[in-house]
């Protein structure tokens, strides 16, 4: 079965550079979420989209932005990268319904800022 | 403000026995709950979900119980297997906002031989 696809799996950037992370949700899922997980920490919610519209915003820095495109894939853009941005970035997609509620996560993108 | 809480940071269970993981929540607007299993440096793996209109959902070795009046849910794993050793998160969604999975803090389960 198709899963949530994230690319790239690994990314190394220098300080002050820009990074773009991509997420391809499961077909028919209507909500996409982005999470950041630092070393030894729980996932922190960044932002979510419902039917291509931003629906909620968490602890996302102003240097970060995200959008969901017409084909439902989402991109997280991170500018002026800092060492502290090094983390695992997870994308999840979900569908909610009386008969079927599920949310699946991608394998994550490991971003290392040097 | 932790709206979803898992008060036991760790749990050790013998292989073949039942593992019971607990989760409490404070937001009465949550109407769907999900359980995830997570290994280090991997994405959470969806296990099972339950709607707030139900009190039980079962899928193979996994059963989730919901006590809405107590704002409490639990995940039962029977029988426990060594491969179940991982961190388990419960998560909740409010369809009023339909916008974010709110996670608990996780419980590390170790299944011993």
């Amino acid at each position: 079965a198709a899963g949530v696809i994230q690319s790239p799996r690994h990314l190394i950037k220098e300080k002050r550079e820009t990074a773009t992370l991509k997420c391809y949700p499961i077909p028919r899922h209507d909500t996409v979420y982005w999470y950041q997980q630092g070393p030894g920490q729980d996932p922190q919610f960044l932002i979510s989209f419902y039917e291509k519209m931003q629906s909620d915003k968490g602890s996302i820095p102003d240097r970060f932005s995200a959008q969901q495109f017409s084909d439902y894939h989402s991109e997280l853009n991170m500018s002026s990268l800092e060492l502290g941005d090094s983390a695992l970035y997870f994308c999840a997609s979900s569908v909610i319904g009386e008969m079927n509620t599920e949310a699946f996560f991608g394998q994550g993108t490991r971003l290392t800022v040097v | 403000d932790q709206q979803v809480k898992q008060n036991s940071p760790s749990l050790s269970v013998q292989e073949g026995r039942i593992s019971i993981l607990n989760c409490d929540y404070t937001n009465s607007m949550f109407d769907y709950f999900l359980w995830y299993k997570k290994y280090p440096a991997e994405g959470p793996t969806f296990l099972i979900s339950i709607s707030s209109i139900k009190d039980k959902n079962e899928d193979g070795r996994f059963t989730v119980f919901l006590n809405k009046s107590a704002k409490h849910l639990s995940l039962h794993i029977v029988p426990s297997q060594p491969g179940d050793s991982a961190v388990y998160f419960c998560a909740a969604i409010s369809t009023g906002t339909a916008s974010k999975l709110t996670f608990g803090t996780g419980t590390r389960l170790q299944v011993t031989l």
Side-chain angles (χ1 to χ4, degrees):
Chain A
V4 177
I5 307 296
Q6 289 187 246
S7 68
R9 291 293 309 277
H10 301 273
L11 188 59
I12 299 175
K13 289 284 185 178
E14 294 188 355
K15 280 171 49 178
R16 293 180 289 278
E17 283 193 318
T18 297
T20 298
L21 279 56
K22 296 185 179 182
C23 171
Y24 296 86
I26 292 174
R28 70 179 167 70
H29 280 195
D30 54 24
T31 305
V32 168
Y33 314 78
W34 284 97
Y35 286 83
Q36 176 193 57
Q37 185 177 23
Q41 298 178 4
D42 295 332
Q44 297 295 314
F45 171 70
L46 293 177
I47 196 167
S48 62
F49 294 87
Y50 175 71
E51 285 292 342
K52 296 168 280 186
M53 299 289 290
Q54 182 183 311
S55 58
D56 197 7
K57 204 168 180 180
S59 51
I60 183 170
D62 292 340
R63 300 177 289 108
F64 293 8
S65 65
Q67 57 182 322
Q68 188 175 25
F69 294 86
S70 58
D71 65 352
Y72 287 88
H73 93 274
S74 178
E75 294 183 4
L76 177 65
N77 297 293
M78 309 157 70
S79 62
S80 302
L81 287 169
E82 302 173 356
L83 296 178
D85 296 330
S86 296
L88 266 173
Y89 290 83
F90 291 108
C91 170
S93 70
S94 74
V95 63
I96 296 170
E98 288 299 324
M99 298 302 293
N100 179 31
T101 292
E102 61 183 25
F104 289 95
F105 283 77
Q107 287 302 298
T109 294
R110 179 175 291 283
L111 172 67
T112 303
V113 181
V114 297
Chain B
D1 177 29
Q2 191 71 32
Q3 296 186 56
V4 180
K5 301 177 186 178
Q6 294 174 255
N7 292 318
S8 298
S10 63
L11 176 67
S12 182
V13 172
Q14 204 168 20
E15 181 182 11
R17 305 263 182 158
I18 182 172
S19 295
I20 301 176
L21 298 113
N22 294 304
C23 180
D24 298 291
Y25 62 96
T26 57
N27 187 346
S28 57
M29 300 302 291
F30 288 140
D31 44 14
Y32 288 91
F33 303 90
L34 306 94
W35 281 96
Y36 290 87
K37 173 179 168 181
K38 190 177 183 304
Y39 297 111
E42 292 185 12
T45 302
F46 171 71
L47 292 173
I48 193 169
S49 67
I50 189 167
S51 162
S52 61
I53 63 171
K54 296 183 178 179
D55 54 19
K56 178 182 174 181
N57 190 23
E58 195 171 352
D59 184 359
R61 297 186 297 116
F62 301 98
T63 303
V64 56
F65 295 92
L66 176 63
N67 182 334
K68 201 173 172 184
S69 61
K71 294 192 177 69
H72 175 84
L73 63 154
S74 61
L75 175 68
H76 293 211
I77 307 174
V78 183
S80 301
Q81 299 173 353
D84 296 330
S85 298
V87 178
Y88 288 77
F89 289 92
C90 67
I93 296 176
S94 165
T95 52
T97 56
S99 57
K100 126 179 122 176
L101 289 167
T102 301
F103 282 93
T105 49
T107 296
R108 181 175 300 279
L109 172 66
Q110 181 159 6
V111 179
T112 59
L113 296 173

